[in-house]
Amino acid sequence: MELPVTVGTDGSEAGLAAADWAAREALLRGCPLRVPHALPLMPHLLPGRFAGRRPAVRPLWPVPGRA
């Protein structure tokens, strides 16, 4: 059994181009394609003790509406 072609994407232009390349490569090889998708952590959506907590890291650029 051949291993799948795996490519991660974050929805950016480069990520979508990588997914397109990987899809063509999987077709050429006749193997499965796996495309995990990454999203930013949103602590306000987490249950329990993490709910409402501010992230432990600071954004690299200013976030509108946040001090």
Side-chain angles (χ1 to χ4, degrees), residues 5-20:
V5 173
T6 303
V7 61
T9 183
D10 59 2
S12 67
E13 187 174 332
L16 295 174
D20 185 57

Side-chain angles (χ1 to χ4, degrees), residues 17-41:
D20 185 57
W21 175 88
R24 283 184 271 130
E25 193 67 26
L27 281 173
L28 288 172
R29 295 172 182 255
C31 60
L33 173 66
R34 291 188 181 161
V35 187
H37 187 271
L39 294 174
L41 177 63

